[in-house]
Amino acid sequence: MSTPAGMHTVTPLLSWRLELTHPDPNIRGSRQSAYEIIATDYSSGNGRWKTGKVASNTSHAVYTGDSLSSRDIVAWSVRVWDEHDVPSAFSPVTTFELGLLNTDNNDWQAKWITNPKFQSGVTSLPLFAKNFTVSCPVTRARLYIAGLGLHHATLNGQDTTNEVLAPGNTKWDTLVEYSTHNITLLLASGPNVLGVALGKGVYDAETPTNGRYAKFTQTPVPLILLAQLEYTCADGTLVVIGTDPSWQTTVSGPQLDSSWWGGEVYDARKEIPNWDSPSGDRSAWAQASVTSPPGPSVALVGCSAPPLQIMQTLTAVSVKSFPNNIYVYDLGLNFAGWPQLTMTGPAGTVVTLRPGELLDPSSGMVTQSSTGSPIFDTYTLATRNTSQTWHPRFMYHGFRYLQVEGLATPPPLANVKGLIIRTANDAVGTFQNTDMPLLTRIYTNIDRAIQSNMLSILTDCPHREKLGWMEQNHLVFPSVMYTYDIEAYARNIISKIANAQTSDGLVPDIAPEYVVFTGGFRDDPNWGSAIIHMTYQHYIAYGKTDILTQFYPNMVGYLAYLTTKASDYLLNYGLGDWATLDSSTPAGVTATFGYYRAASVLAKIATVLGNDGDAAKFAGLAQNISSSFHATYSQGNTYASGSQAADAIALDIGAVPSQNVSAVLAHLIASIRAKDNHVTVGEVTLPSLIRVLSLYGRDDVVFDIVAQTTAPSYGYQVLSGATSLTESWWGADQPTWSQNHFMFGVATEWFASSLVGIQQGPLSTGWDRVVIRPTLPTGNLTQADGSYRSLHGWVVASWTRSVTSFQLLVTIPVGSLADVYVWTAPGRKVTEGGAPLAIGNGIMGIDYTNTN
């Protein structure tokens, strides 16, 4: 996060990336040898921290300056010294801002309030307003707000932020994330009105109106609001306006309902003119009631991840009309977000919007077979023939098609929009292949599925569930990392996983655990172990050990929980290899795989933290699990049922004796070839299958799998018209399956790390050491290029080949070392920059490796 506000820490981690100020490609080996950070108070300019020259090549530092307090804004800048001890200029000044850190020292003067008259299906959703007068010159103003389920705040009729669908998903009885909005420019001298509308979200998952779809329902809970507006006068006086009984509220507004899954109901005839402006008439409104917080010991924290925002706007590309005033629009892409419609018609006209991923092949109209049904929004027009524009506010849809019902004529294409919503994580990766555009389209489809499920948690799908199923968090973590900067985002998710852990060590399959499922849907080792794998993956990607320390007790507790369920070092329960095409793989194979990986990765974590006793214990446990797996499931040159999944898992956990590896690998490959280069594995095993094939030099097999165009395959989905990765390999041919799932998204990792060849060194963290090692899986492929913005900067690789040559173009960021592998053949000349390859000018060594 570049200029975070509302941080909930007094020791923030500051980081920077280096770029060369000269474009000369012949200047090599640039690196940082030292840094200096200067931090000042943003308002006064007084110094808060000056590190002096620190000899280090590390591009991050924990703030250790003057002690920080709530509301502090710190401006900071950094300069570095290069390998020749020459200093740079100081970087442009940036800032970080603390939120309200304490609930017990009057930081929070606001009280939780509610409108007790709210009743779903009877009244509207509640509106709140507060009149106040500003009588001094203002230098700074902030709004701290948490509305449950969801809030939308305005000041004098203007949105206070471009953040949407806040607050994010948490276990609300223990943790609520509040938002911090900079409202300095919105505050007026004289009368002001702060307005807040509340929605239900998943927090109030009561039965929706009009028979709308819901994944689950719960006992209704009051919608509640905590808001604190603060402004600082020029003389330093701090004025605090918090929620209390002086706030006004009504349940006679236009937002009649909003179901997290099923849709919204809005009646524009009930809009209250200027309700959130000083000129509005609120004389009939009631006073708000003070109420209890969502939990007796709930923690209020500033959000530690980027917000959800509208990141892209689509315009409908086609429309088809049907009898009875029904019009079906195609937005061109399957995405998560809001439909927005500009419409006209007689007052009282009810317009229905039905979103869907697919069209019914017989009728041509929207079907909701893949999303849950019925899902629909209704909007009632207020004024005859006056253009009105509307979109949902307190929920979102996953859809490509929008069926509009109730208007006399179809709105023009330009009046039908799709507002794409996701967490505002920076995009940090690219991939392109011009030989086979299919590969680029597969990459793009995976990216769209990641975007569509990258909300405040990583969800499984953006429609029928919207839950944080956790297996994909770690199984597909590298693909997400290669595509987006998730350093802050993933850390936030890990904290939510830890918060979901039960007292006996269980980490449930979903986090937050809004509904308690049973059996494997609550307890599966490949879901719960996300607490271990995601934490370690974060450390490897971003190089910060504090995350290992913070969640180490949770990880140890979870492994201990698994151990209580093991017999002879084996587990035998759970969901199995979810979405497998070969049901013969025993559940015990995948469960024990999860147990082994939890132990082996935790052993690595303990080693990093210097807990040598734990490291030895966990490594020994992992070895015992592997040995028991082999003893139980070995069947000569294969394992268990002989499935692809069993072979891949056995190879991946090192259970296969060295003398048998070639035979088991051959059995696995023979199975794939016999299936005409199709896989039969599910989502748990797919990463293992690709990983072991690459490890043993068989990227040619991976390529044949990825490039396959008959079902089941990535390519079949693309050629069948999918615009995002689907839950089923058959895409729309299985219309009851989600058409927007990223659980099979491991191919992006292979594109980046193998086909383009951008990898992190085996002993590296935070991309200190880069490996560029492209694979050449087939003679028909002559080109690939991609990039990844690591902590140090952009890593770029682009290769082309012909019958007589291979060319590799590489960019390595300042601060990273790289091992670059170039394909050649005996007797061939290798040049670098047009000259014979030689040590010097940044090239530290040359070696030749005999590979295929």
Side-chain angles (χ1 to χ4, degrees):
M1 297 189 291
S2 57
T3 54
M7 298 183 71
H8 203 77
T9 176
V10 295
T11 56
L13 181 69
L14 311 181
S15 62
W16 55 93
R17 286 189 300 272
L18 303 178
E19 294 182 356
L20 294 179
T21 56
H22 52 76
D24 188 348
N26 294 315
I27 298 179
R28 307 282 183 74
S30 298
R31 62 181 176 83
Q32 172 188 305
S33 62
Y35 68 84
E36 180 183 22
I37 296 173
I38 294 179
T40 62
D41 181 84
Y42 180 76
S43 300
S44 68
N46 295 332
R48 304 205 69 144
W49 190 34
K50 186 174 183 178
T51 64
K53 184 179 180 181
V54 178
S56 173
N57 63 358
T58 300
S59 58
H60 57 83
V62 174
Y63 175 89
T64 57
D66 294 348
S67 59
L68 299 176
S69 303
S70 296
R71 307 176 182 85
D72 280 349
I73 305 178
V74 177
W76 69 281
S77 183
V78 61
R79 65 171 173 170
V80 302
W81 282 258
D82 67 11
E83 70 276 13
H84 303 297
D85 202 32
V86 175
S88 71
F90 274 97
S91 66
V93 174
T94 188
T95 62
F96 63 85
E97 178 178 345
L98 273 62
L100 304 182
L101 303 181
N102 302 295
T103 57
D104 56 359
N105 69 349
N106 292 327
D107 272 356
W108 280 100
Q109 297 179 29
K111 308 297 183 184
W112 288 95
I113 61 172
T114 190
N115 187 322
K117 293 183 179 180
F118 164 66
Q119 185 176 352
S120 181
V122 178
T123 69
S124 77
L125 298 178
L127 299 173
F128 297 85
K130 174 63 178 178
N131 301 278
F132 63 98
T133 300
V134 175
S135 56
C136 69
V138 174
T139 60
R140 166 185 167 183
R142 297 292 185 269
L143 173 63
Y144 306 100
I145 182 169
L148 296 178
L150 299 167
H151 61 249
H152 175 237
T154 55
L155 182 60
N156 302 323
Q158 300 296 312
D159 290 349
T160 61
T161 179
N162 59 0
E163 180 181 24
V164 299
L165 296 174
N169 293 27
T170 61
K171 191 173 182 289
W172 287 295
D173 59 339
T174 61
L175 179 70
V176 173
E177 294 176 341
Y178 65 86
S179 299
T180 301
H181 301 167
N182 184 345
I183 56 171
T184 307
L185 298 180
L186 297 178
L187 206 62
S189 177
N192 290 262
V193 172
L194 174 61
V196 180
L198 293 186
K200 293 191 291 189
V202 71
Y203 165 80
D204 181 21
E206 57 185 293
T207 302
T209 57
N210 300 110
R212 284 177 169 82
Y213 168 80
K215 172 62 179 176
F216 59 86
T217 58
Q218 295 176 331
T219 303
V221 293
L223 303 185
I224 57 178
L225 171 65
L226 183 74
Q228 186 159 304
L229 185 153
E230 300 182 355
Y231 62 89
T232 303
C233 298
D235 63 4
T237 301
L238 177 67
V239 180
V240 178
I241 300 164
T243 41
D244 62 21
S246 70
W247 280 56
Q248 296 174 286
T249 181
T250 184
V251 286
S252 297
Q255 189 81 53
L256 301 185
D257 195 24
S258 179
S259 163
W260 187 238
W261 299 278
E264 293 199 347
V265 183
Y266 191 94
D267 189 341
R269 298 171 301 177
K270 296 179 178 292
E271 289 179 342
I272 304 171
N274 302 314
W275 71 272
D276 51 357
S277 297
S279 61
D281 180 8
R282 292 172 292 277
S283 59
W285 289 31
Q287 299 303 115
S289 298
V290 173
T291 189
S292 300
S297 57
V298 65
L300 293 168
V301 299
C303 188
S304 57
L308 272 67
Q309 294 177 348
I310 298 170
M311 302 300 293
Q312 184 181 351
T313 298
L314 305 176
T315 300
V317 296
S318 67
V319 61
K320 186 174 182 180
S321 298
F322 295 87
N324 302 315
N325 296 336
I326 296 175
Y327 318 106
V328 175
Y329 292 83
D330 182 0
L331 276 301
L333 299 176
N334 198 0
F335 67 98
W338 292 334
Q340 178 176 285
L341 182 63
T342 299
M343 61 202 119
T344 58
T349 300
V350 177
V351 181
T352 301
L353 308 181
R354 298 186 191 275
E357 297 183 305
L358 298 170
L359 298 180
D360 185 278
S362 58
S363 71
M365 292 191 288
V366 163
T367 175
Q368 295 179 335
S369 59
S370 67
T371 63
S373 180
I375 296 172
F376 60 99
D377 305 311
T378 60
Y379 178 90
T380 303
L381 276 67
T383 306
R384 181 177 181 86
N385 296 329
T386 298
S387 178
Q388 299 165 62
T389 299
W390 180 83
H391 61 68
R393 175 71 67 185
F394 298 116
M395 58 87 63
Y396 67 98
H397 297 295
F399 67 109
R400 171 177 174 173
Y401 302 98
L402 185 67
Q403 185 164 304
V404 178
E405 305 171 4
L407 292 170
T409 59
L413 295 180
N415 287 6
V416 181
K417 305 287 187 181
L419 309 182
I420 296 179
I421 295 172
R422 67 167 174 84
T423 300
N425 296 318
D426 286 351
V428 296
T430 64
F431 168 77
Q432 186 176 25
N433 183 266
T434 56
D435 282 339
M436 291 188 63
L438 174 70
L439 302 184
T440 306
R441 291 179 64 185
I442 292 170
Y443 174 88
T444 301
N445 277 14
I446 294 172
D447 177 33
R448 290 197 186 111
I450 291 172
Q451 288 189 48
S452 299
N453 289 284
M454 195 164 61
L455 280 294
S456 66
I457 54 174
L458 282 168
T459 61
D460 60 326
C461 59
H463 31 65
R464 68 172 184 245
E465 295 199 15
K466 302 181 180 178
L467 294 174
W469 293 99
M470 295 190 305
E471 83 292 357
Q472 59 197 357
N473 291 14
H474 66 93
L475 294 172
V476 196
F477 183 98
S479 291
V480 182
M481 177 216 71
Y482 271 117
T483 317
Y484 294 95
D485 178 356
I486 56 171
E487 181 175 7
Y489 178 69
R491 185 184 287 260
N492 179 273
I493 290 177
I494 293 167
S495 70
K496 294 174 181 178
I497 296 173
N499 195 41
Q501 190 169 23
T502 64
S503 59
D504 62 354
L506 166 69
V507 176
D509 289 8
I510 60 171
E513 192 179 22
Y514 294 132
V515 57
V516 177
F517 294 119
T518 59
F521 292 101
R522 191 182 193 220
D523 181 9
D524 185 293
N526 290 295
W527 274 248
S529 59
I531 186 65
I532 296 174
H533 300 309
M534 197 175 183
T535 307
Y536 185 65
Q537 289 165 325
H538 190 285
Y539 161 70
I540 294 297
Y542 303 111
K544 314 300 192 303
T545 58
D546 67 303
I547 195 168
L548 303 180
T549 302
Q550 179 180 356
F551 297 108
Y552 190 73
N554 301 89
M555 296 185 278
V556 172
Y558 182 64
L559 182 61
Y561 171 81
L562 291 181
T563 299
T564 66
K565 306 200 70 168
S567 176
D568 295 327
Y569 301 106
L570 300 175
L571 294 177
N572 190 24
Y573 70 96
L575 297 175
D577 193 13
W578 186 254
T580 182
L581 305 180
D582 183 351
S583 60
S584 71
T585 305
V589 167
T590 50
T592 302
F593 168 65
Y595 186 29
Y596 169 86
R597 291 190 70 226
S600 62
V601 171
L602 194 51
K604 297 176 183 178
I605 293 171
T607 299
V608 172
L609 296 179
N611 298 333
D612 295 340
D614 279 359
K617 178 175 70 174
F618 299 146
L621 174 60
Q623 182 57 54
N624 288 336
I625 296 169
S626 178
S627 298
S628 185
F629 182 97
H630 173 72
T632 303
Y633 293 114
S634 176
Q635 302 289 335
N637 294 334
T638 188
Y639 280 77
S641 64
S643 65
Q644 293 177 13
D647 286 349
I649 284 174
L651 290 165
D652 199 25
I653 69 174
V656 184
S658 57
Q659 66 272 19
N660 293 346
V661 166
S662 295
V664 175
L665 180 66
H667 186 272
L668 171 61
I669 293 172
S671 173
I672 296 169
R673 298 303 195 199
K675 295 289 185 181
D676 193 23
N677 298 318
H678 295 101
V679 297
T680 62
V681 300
E683 65 160 326
V684 172
T685 308
L686 183 62
S688 294
L689 182 141
I690 292 177
R691 188 161 48 236
V692 299
L693 289 173
S694 289
L695 175 67
Y696 292 110
R698 296 310 304 269
D699 282 298
D700 60 315
V701 181
V702 180
F703 175 82
D704 291 340
I705 293 169
V706 173
Q708 178 60 266
T709 58
T710 59
S713 68
Y714 292 107
Y716 184 78
Q717 294 182 27
V718 169
L719 298 182
S720 297
T723 59
S724 59
L725 188 66
T726 65
E727 183 181 16
S728 163
W729 291 116
W730 281 265
D733 289 357
Q734 291 192 331
T736 60
W737 293 55
S738 165
Q739 304 298 301
N740 207 341
H741 250 67
F742 77 99
M743 67 182 187
F744 285 131
V746 66
T748 287
E749 177 188 0
W750 184 80
F751 288 145
S753 63
S754 292
L755 193 55
V756 175
I758 297 175
Q759 308 168 21
Q760 188 172 192
L763 299 178
S764 170
T765 62
W767 290 81
D768 290 336
R769 187 146 193 148
V770 175
V771 173
I772 304 294
R773 189 170 189 165
T775 185
L776 304 182
T778 172
N780 296 326
L781 207 63
T782 65
Q783 175 274 338
D785 63 71
S787 63
Y788 170 64
R789 195 191 75 187
S790 74
L791 287 181
H792 295 290
W794 284 100
V795 183
V796 183
S798 176
W799 60 263
T800 57
R801 67 170 170 173
S802 66
V803 176
T804 59
S805 68
F806 174 84
Q807 182 181 62
L808 177 63
L809 303 178
V810 174
T811 299
I812 304 300
V814 178
S816 291
L817 295 175
D819 299 304
V820 180
Y821 290 78
V822 180
W823 287 89
T824 185
R828 292 288 182 90
K829 180 173 66 174
V830 180
T831 62
E832 194 274 323
L837 186 63
I839 293 175
N841 192 22
I843 298 177
M844 302 168 64
I846 301 171
D847 196 7
Y848 289 86
T849 302
N850 183 20
T851 70
N852 293 325

